[in-house]
Amino acid sequence: MTHKLSVLLLLALALHASPARCDDIVDGGPAPETTVEAAKHGVDIPKFEPYAVPDAALWEQFTDVVAPRWKRSQATKKGEKEARYDGEWAVEDIKELVGVEGDKGLVVKSQARHHAISARLEKPFDPSASGLVLQYEVKLQENLGCGGAYIKLLTAPLKGEFSDDTPYTLMFGPDKCGESKVHLIYRHLNPVTHEYTEHHLSQPPTPPIDTLSHLYTLTIHTNNTYAIAIDGSERRTGSLLDDFDPPVNPPKEIDDPKDKKPADWEDNEKIPDASAKKPADWDEDAPLMIPDEDAVKPKDWFEDEPLLVPDPKAQKPADWDDEEDGDWAAPMISNPRCADAAGCGPWEWPLVRNPDFKGQWSAPLVDNPLYKGEWAPRRIHNPGYFEDRGLYKLSKIDAVGFELWTMQSGITFDNIYLGSSSNAAALIADNVWKPKHDVELAISEAMRPKSPPAPKPGFADVLRMFKDRIDEILYGISTFYSVLQSEGVVSALRQERAGAFGLLMVTMALGWLGWNASIILGFVYRLVVAAPAPPPVAAANASTDNDTASPDSGAKADRKAAKND
């Protein structure tokens, strides 16, 4: 009895020491300490609670320590026993920028490896009845340089080990290797050739590349339209018939491959004039550019000065060993004498366009008398033509899988929904993804380092800036005046800074002269042209006053006389 108890005890200890595993999916262990970091920034992190989604073909939140339905691919390389997909996976808590405490996901654990993992549905899903809605979360816990995060819906029936050769119905999701895009590829069965063809979305949207959880939603409607949404916002909508390359339905007519252009068919509208002759004075050897013989070497061009000179301030390092390191030489710097000069080194005449240049002669073109127009092969009925108006009736789906190559680890998948209900997907977005995303965003904003305020300049700084500007103006005026005296006004105005000050001085001088001229001309005009007229004679004024007396004044005088009587 004691022996049996010992065996049972040892067996129990062994089982306790060996954690449960399923198909090489590693349990990532307990959740990281996230509440402390979030508490520093006043952000409350909610705890994970399972969310129920009825009538889903697949709803995966990775709530189990090791999700039993996810199977890592055991496919081998062709003709070899070596594993084809050596990348590791783990179902574990999120480590970076946690939005929900205790939330697990399916995580890519290996760098620069091929990864493949799949999960069978409880029963095959048929999109032909009510369309298809596929939605899942992607979180890049590390900066993604090159890697994929797309999901495949595997065609029923699923046979053998999952690999890149496994037939799939649809592929959807983000990818970044050089160009970043959201893939949408579906496979269609050609009813004429009975072969599958991949059709790629011609203008895919661009995915966000950061460490937040992002929600990717694809909807295939029963009217052959599709919609791609990222984080609940539609990014691309269109038609399964028109927006994919190559188009599903081929053209009704094609060029006849047996039709050949006749040997005597002339499709050149213009031909060289056979009667034209090259003029006798046409020089084909004349160069396009020739030296400008009118150019004169500037006076401040120093031909004997090199462009680079040894740095006079450089010193030989104390630990320099001539025998081991070779002879020491000071580093070369730009020749300071050439800084303000027109140039240094050998001077050459600048090149100008040759007025005698004509180039290669060719006969002028004339109308071709034998021209028949552009030839095109005749059109015939396309033997491979078909018209499929039910593209939304995709092949039945037996499983979902991730088959990826990535240079970085930490790609995390969560909350995978497959079904036919846009309403269910919207509720998942509102109740599962958005609260998590809002918390992640709040923590990210709080942890972002804030730049210190720029120091305000003091009085001494302002005074120094003012002095520097005054010195710069005085130096420019002095340089302009010295060049003006030695080389003339044209060379002075060509100076980059001094020329600007010179133009300013000329403009100010002209303005001052114009102002004085306007004052003098105004004075002359008032003195000569607009002189005032002589004042009127006093007698005339008196006569005018008597003649213009109003009747009211006479009436007032009569009333005054009557009052005195």
Side-chain angles (χ1 to χ4, degrees):
M1 184 67 178
T2 305
H3 178 68
K4 291 182 179 181
L5 289 174
S6 300
V7 171
L8 291 174
L9 181 61
L10 289 173
L11 182 59
L13 290 173
L15 290 173
H16 179 73
S18 302
R21 294 175 180 266
C22 179
D23 297 307
D24 297 329
I25 302 176
V26 180
D27 175 17
E33 294 292 334
T34 59
T35 54
V36 175
E37 186 66 26
K40 288 182 183 179
H41 305 285
V43 180
D44 293 330
I45 298 180
K47 292 187 177 181
F48 173 78
E49 293 183 3
Y51 185 80
V53 179
D55 302 324
L58 175 68
W59 170 237
E60 179 63 87
Q61 287 192 288
F62 300 99
T63 53
D64 302 325
V65 175
V66 176
R69 58 183 162 192
W70 289 92
K71 178 184 177 184
R72 178 177 167 184
S73 174
Q74 302 298 322
T76 57
K77 296 181 179 180
K78 294 181 180 180
E80 301 179 14
K81 295 183 178 180
E82 185 179 353
R84 191 170 182 176
Y85 298 96
D86 52 356
E88 294 185 356
W89 297 84
V91 173
E92 63 182 17
D93 291 78
I94 309 301
K95 299 290 194 301
E96 300 294 333
L97 201 60
V98 179
V100 175
E101 185 178 353
D103 185 24
K104 295 180 181 295
L106 179 64
V107 185
V108 172
K109 300 298 291 181
S110 305
Q111 299 179 356
R113 293 287 187 273
H114 286 95
H115 299 74
I117 195 169
S118 61
R120 281 186 178 273
L121 307 181
E122 293 182 0
K123 62 180 181 178
F125 174 66
D126 187 1
S128 64
S130 304
L132 177 146
V133 179
L134 172 62
Q135 180 173 274
Y136 71 110
E137 292 179 19
V138 177
K139 182 180 179 66
L140 307 175
Q141 299 193 67
E142 298 180 12
N143 291 327
L144 183 63
C146 178
Y150 41 81
I151 189 171
K152 286 184 175 182
L153 305 184
L154 307 181
T155 305
L158 179 62
K159 299 179 181 178
E161 291 291 336
F162 174 42
S163 71
D164 57 349
D165 295 326
T166 302
Y168 68 91
T169 297
L170 183 146
M171 189 178 98
F172 171 67
D175 186 18
K176 181 190 177 186
C177 260
E179 180 187 7
S180 297
K181 59 184 176 181
V182 178
H183 286 290
L184 175 53
I185 307 171
Y186 69 90
R187 296 170 73 246
H188 179 265
L189 179 63
N190 188 312
V192 177
T193 63
H194 302 287
E195 296 178 352
Y196 279 94
T197 304
E198 292 183 352
H199 301 275
H200 297 244
L201 182 62
S202 56
Q203 295 181 351
T206 302
I209 305 295
D210 54 39
T211 56
L212 300 174
S213 295
H214 292 287
L215 188 69
Y216 293 87
T217 309
L218 169 66
T219 306
I220 304 292
H221 300 287
T222 55
N223 60 354
N224 292 325
T225 61
Y226 68 92
I228 296 175
I230 302 177
D231 296 344
S233 175
E234 279 194 349
R235 299 288 296 277
R236 186 84 162 87
T237 60
S239 168
L240 296 174
L241 293 166
D242 303 327
D243 298 345
F244 289 77
D245 186 29
V248 174
N249 295 326
K252 290 183 178 181
E253 292 185 341
I254 60 173
D255 293 338
D256 185 358
K258 297 180 180 180
D259 191 16
K260 305 297 182 183
K261 183 172 75 170
D264 59 347
W265 188 279
E266 282 287 344
D267 51 10
N268 294 319
E269 186 177 0
K270 299 285 185 178
I271 59 173
D273 186 0
S275 62
K277 303 295 182 182
K278 183 176 72 171
D281 61 345
W282 191 287
D283 186 3
E284 294 184 342
D285 298 327
L288 174 63
M289 305 296 289
I290 58 174
D292 184 6
E293 297 180 355
D294 296 331
V296 178
K297 183 179 72 173
K299 293 182 180 180
D300 59 343
W301 188 288
F302 306 118
E303 290 195 278
D304 298 332
E305 288 289 339
L307 293 175
L308 299 175
V309 295
D311 186 0
K313 298 181 181 179
Q315 295 183 356
K316 179 179 177 181
D319 58 348
W320 187 278
D321 190 337
D322 290 338
E323 295 183 357
E324 294 185 2
D325 302 328
D327 294 335
W328 182 83
M332 305 296 285
I333 61 172
S334 298
N335 190 342
R337 290 204 60 190
C338 303
D340 297 325
C344 291
W347 182 82
E348 296 180 354
W349 281 271
L351 297 179
V352 295
R353 186 178 179 86
N354 184 2
D356 298 328
F357 173 77
K358 294 183 178 180
Q360 192 74 22
W361 182 85
S362 60
L365 298 178
V366 296
D367 291 338
N368 184 358
L370 303 178
Y371 175 67
K372 296 183 179 181
E374 292 290 335
W375 182 87
R378 62 175 173 266
R379 303 284 289 177
I380 62 173
H381 174 72
N382 184 1
Y385 172 74
F386 67 89
E387 185 177 21
D388 189 345
R389 291 291 175 179
L391 299 183
Y392 71 93
K393 298 178 181 179
L394 301 171
S395 302
K396 291 183 179 181
I397 299 163
D398 208 4
V400 299
F402 298 97
E403 189 263 321
L404 312 169
W405 161 264
T406 177
M407 293 298 296
Q408 284 77 32
S409 59
I411 301 175
T412 305
F413 304 100
D414 198 6
N415 297 321
I416 305 171
Y417 169 77
L418 175 62
S420 302
S421 175
S422 297
N423 184 56
L427 290 174
I428 293 171
D430 292 339
N431 298 314
V432 180
W433 168 78
K434 192 175 186 307
K436 177 198 300 186
H437 184 266
D438 290 346
V439 171
E440 292 176 350
L441 192 61
I443 296 176
S444 178
E445 291 293 333
M447 294 177 63
R448 182 177 299 172
K450 295 179 175 55
S451 56
K456 296 182 178 180
F459 178 75
D461 298 328
V462 175
L463 190 62
R464 183 168 52 255
M465 292 170 58
F466 180 74
K467 180 179 178 300
D468 292 342
R469 296 298 177 269
I470 295 296
D471 292 341
E472 183 180 2
I473 293 172
L474 294 176
Y475 175 77
I477 295 174
S478 174
T479 304
F480 174 78
Y481 184 70
S482 62
V483 177
L484 178 66
Q485 284 185 320
S486 60
E487 301 181 23
V489 65
V490 176
S491 297
L493 292 176
R494 285 179 177 174
Q495 302 291 320
E496 182 177 358
R497 286 181 173 271
F501 287 115
L503 288 174
L504 179 62
M505 292 170 58
V506 171
T507 304
M508 292 175 63
L510 292 175
W512 181 80
L513 290 175
W515 178 68
N516 283 277
S518 66
I519 292 177
I520 294 172
L521 291 175
F523 176 76
V524 171
Y525 177 81
R526 289 192 299 271
L527 183 65
V528 178
V529 180
V537 181
N541 291 340
S543 175
T544 303
D545 292 341
N546 292 333
D547 294 340
T548 59
S550 65
D552 292 341
S553 60
K556 290 180 180 179
D558 293 340
R559 287 195 299 271
K560 186 176 181 182
K563 185 178 180 181
N564 293 333
D565 292 341

